[in-house]
Amino acid sequence: MSAATAPTPDLAQERVDHRFKALPPDAEGLTVGELAAQRRNLFTGGFTTPVLALSAESVEHNLRLLETYAERHGLAFAPHGKTSMAPQLFDRQIAYGAWGITAAVPHQARVYRAHGIARIFLANELVDPVALRWLAAELDADPDFRFVCYVDSVRGVELMDAALTEAGARRPVDVVVELGAGEGARTGARTEADCTAVADAVAATRTLRLVGVAGYEGEVPRADEERVRAWLRRLTALAADFDKAGRFDPSAGEIVVSAGGSAWFDTVAEVFAELPEFSLPVLKLLRSGAYVSHDSGHYRTLTPFNRIPEEGALEPAFRLWTQVVSRPTPEQAFTNAGKRDAAHDLHLPEAQVVRDARTGEIRPADGITVTGLSDQHTWVRTEEGADLEVGDWLGMGLSHPCTSFDKWQLIPLVEADGTVVDYIRTFF
């Protein structure tokens, strides 16, 4: 497949203007499609700094790797779209085998539907009556639209039922009971008895259909492999018990068992492989989202592929290019990117390479360390002999893709030689 994505026509027809950071000023008025067709070079094609680039080759590698992993382990996957909020990447994820896309809030689901996503898993309890009214209309208008969301409380079920009844919903909303990951964890019913009470509440409605169980193992307190595996076995045992008790609606045609962030999906695969025979086919649904871009910090450390190197390795796809604008001392430099441009909620950016302003040569950023971020400056410490001067471009790796995508509305997709082959539009 080509490294470039295939943007939907509405995205390709959007006009390039001042809304989009770093794009060439002389591209003003062109459509995104027209600019992409010019295949400009990131370094010599008129882009201004700072500019965030996404590696075309690494994105394709990561898409292919998770597809292969899921197939090998008998998993379906609905990657969490909140990572990128980029419909072009959603399309690529689905082309590479994704069952659908996971959302967290109604706005995200609306973006997905506006761009044709046919299957959405909402990893939250949805109790907003306005959002439920919108959802009911979407389901009623499109018989092929599949939607699943969490329920984790009797009160939540009551609110959903009341809102959907008032909206005159003709199709029931599919729900999965969320098992909380333990005391002090995030959302979810805390005990199996609580889960049963929620399931009973669902059964008492006509507007909801219980189709499975789910949760998020990344919230297991003091998570390690043993604790995560123990919680996952609670989840699968809950599914088995519910099935024996006939709690799942057979009209759904399958039972959904879902978990899987970006840190423990190997353990999810292992435990899901132990599921017993159920009364219906089981959709073992993984929801890892950060894999599409990976990163150079948080997920580089946490990825399960570190534990299972025989399965392959993800590649960090982000690089933020920023320009040295001040070199006040031999030990210090400042570039023109800051908190508005770089993810900084988990780790500071990592200095990786320098592009020489005089020669265009790209070399390792030896002896160069990022020590802090201001709103619009990166603080850089340079060791003795570090080769860095005003005008050079500093290429930095970022930690946490979820807070990298959200700072950029249009991101150049760049091949290894610097050719920009497309632009990834985000909708946060």
Side-chain angles (χ1 to χ4, degrees):
M1 295 187 180
S2 166
T5 63
T8 52
D10 57 318
L11 296 179
Q13 294 303 312
E14 191 164 15
R15 294 286 172 183
V16 174
D17 58 27
H18 61 275
R19 291 171 297 161
F20 304 121
K21 296 191 290 187
L23 296 195
D26 67 353
E28 180 101 9
L30 295 177
T31 66
V32 172
E34 289 168 343
L35 180 57
Q38 292 182 358
R39 297 178 65 86
R40 297 195 185 196
N41 187 279
L42 185 72
F43 306 110
T44 61
F47 293 85
T48 62
T49 56
V51 56
L52 182 66
L54 196 59
S55 164
E57 293 89 352
S58 293
V59 167
E60 289 293 304
H61 168 85
N62 295 342
L63 290 168
R64 189 178 302 111
L65 182 63
L66 194 68
E67 178 187 38
T68 301
Y69 181 85
E71 287 178 349
R72 185 180 295 130
H73 293 278
L75 301 169
F77 64 105
H80 210 315
K82 55 97 175 170
T83 296
S84 71
M85 288 305 295
Q88 292 151 281
L89 295 181
F90 300 162
D91 289 345
R92 300 301 287 154
Q93 289 171 308
I94 289 169
Y96 275 95
W99 172 91
I101 305 293
T102 295
V105 293
H107 159 71
Q108 293 168 358
R110 289 184 62 206
V111 171
Y112 301 0
R113 289 299 290 161
H115 292 275
I117 302 302
R119 292 172 177 164
I120 297 173
F121 185 102
L122 188 85
N124 249 330
E125 188 168 67
L126 181 61
V127 296
D128 181 338
V130 175
L132 286 162
R133 188 161 57 244
W134 169 83
L135 174 62
E138 286 290 305
L139 288 167
D140 290 347
D142 183 357
D144 294 325
F145 174 36
R146 180 82 194 277
F147 178 90
V148 182
C149 75
Y150 283 175
V151 285
D152 80 347
S153 65
V154 171
R155 174 59 174 160
V157 170
E158 292 171 351
L159 290 169
M160 293 180 74
D161 182 45
L164 291 167
T165 299
E166 184 177 351
R170 296 193 298 272
R171 285 178 61 190
V173 172
D174 287 348
V175 296
V176 291
V177 173
E178 182 194 7
L179 174 66
E183 289 303 320
R186 205 161 61 189
T187 56
R190 288 301 192 251
T191 68
E192 283 75 2
D194 292 338
C195 289
T196 299
V198 174
D200 287 344
V202 171
T205 75
R206 294 182 178 180
T207 58
L208 303 177
R209 182 171 72 166
L210 185 64
V211 299
V213 299
Y216 175 47
E217 76 289 343
E219 281 294 312
V220 170
R222 303 181 307 283
D224 60 22
E225 194 167 350
E226 182 179 348
R227 291 187 178 95
V228 167
R229 185 179 291 108
W231 176 81
L232 285 164
R233 285 181 173 148
R234 282 184 62 201
L235 181 70
T236 55
L238 179 69
D241 289 346
F242 275 15
D243 187 45
K244 288 177 185 175
R247 294 186 181 279
F248 297 127
D249 194 318
S251 66
E254 65 183 5
I255 294 167
V256 179
V257 182
S258 180
S262 295
W264 295 103
F265 57 73
D266 58 332
T267 310
V268 173
E270 174 190 325
V271 175
F272 280 12
E274 302 169 354
L275 279 167
E277 189 77 17
F278 279 57
S279 62
L280 293 168
V282 177
L283 183 73
K284 303 173 186 178
L285 194 62
L286 189 69
R287 304 193 308 274
S288 312
Y291 80 97
V292 68
S293 66
H294 199 43
D295 74 359
S296 297
H298 184 68
Y299 287 107
R300 179 178 61 187
T301 301
L302 291 182
T303 176
F305 287 112
N306 292 337
R307 297 188 290 271
I308 47 173
E310 67 278 6
E311 299 266 17
L314 295 169
E315 298 177 358
F318 274 130
R319 180 162 284 168
L320 178 64
W321 289 98
T322 178
Q323 194 166 32
V324 179
V325 294
S326 181
R327 189 79 159 95
T329 73
E331 297 80 29
Q332 195 169 41
F334 292 88
T335 77
N336 62 349
K339 294 177 182 177
R340 304 283 193 250
D341 313 298
H344 56 90
D345 56 318
L346 295 177
H347 303 99
L348 290 171
E350 174 188 85
Q352 294 179 331
V353 294
V354 175
R355 186 177 189 275
D356 193 291
R358 299 178 188 272
T359 67
E361 173 196 5
I362 295 179
R363 59 180 181 270
D366 294 335
I368 299 171
T369 305
V370 174
T371 60
L373 292 174
S374 299
D375 280 356
Q376 300 292 178
H377 289 93
T378 300
W379 293 60
V380 176
R381 183 179 69 244
T382 54
E383 297 175 9
E384 185 177 354
D387 190 3
L388 190 68
E389 67 175 348
V390 170
D392 289 345
W393 285 28
L394 181 62
M396 303 190 300
L398 302 176
S399 180
H400 200 186
C402 300
T403 52
S404 297
F405 278 105
D406 71 0
K407 293 171 175 54
W408 295 82
Q409 290 182 292
L410 204 60
I411 304 170
L413 187 69
V414 185
E415 292 183 338
D417 65 357
T419 301
V420 179
V421 295
D422 206 349
Y423 297 84
I424 303 301
R425 185 71 158 93
T426 65
F427 293 86
F428 285 95

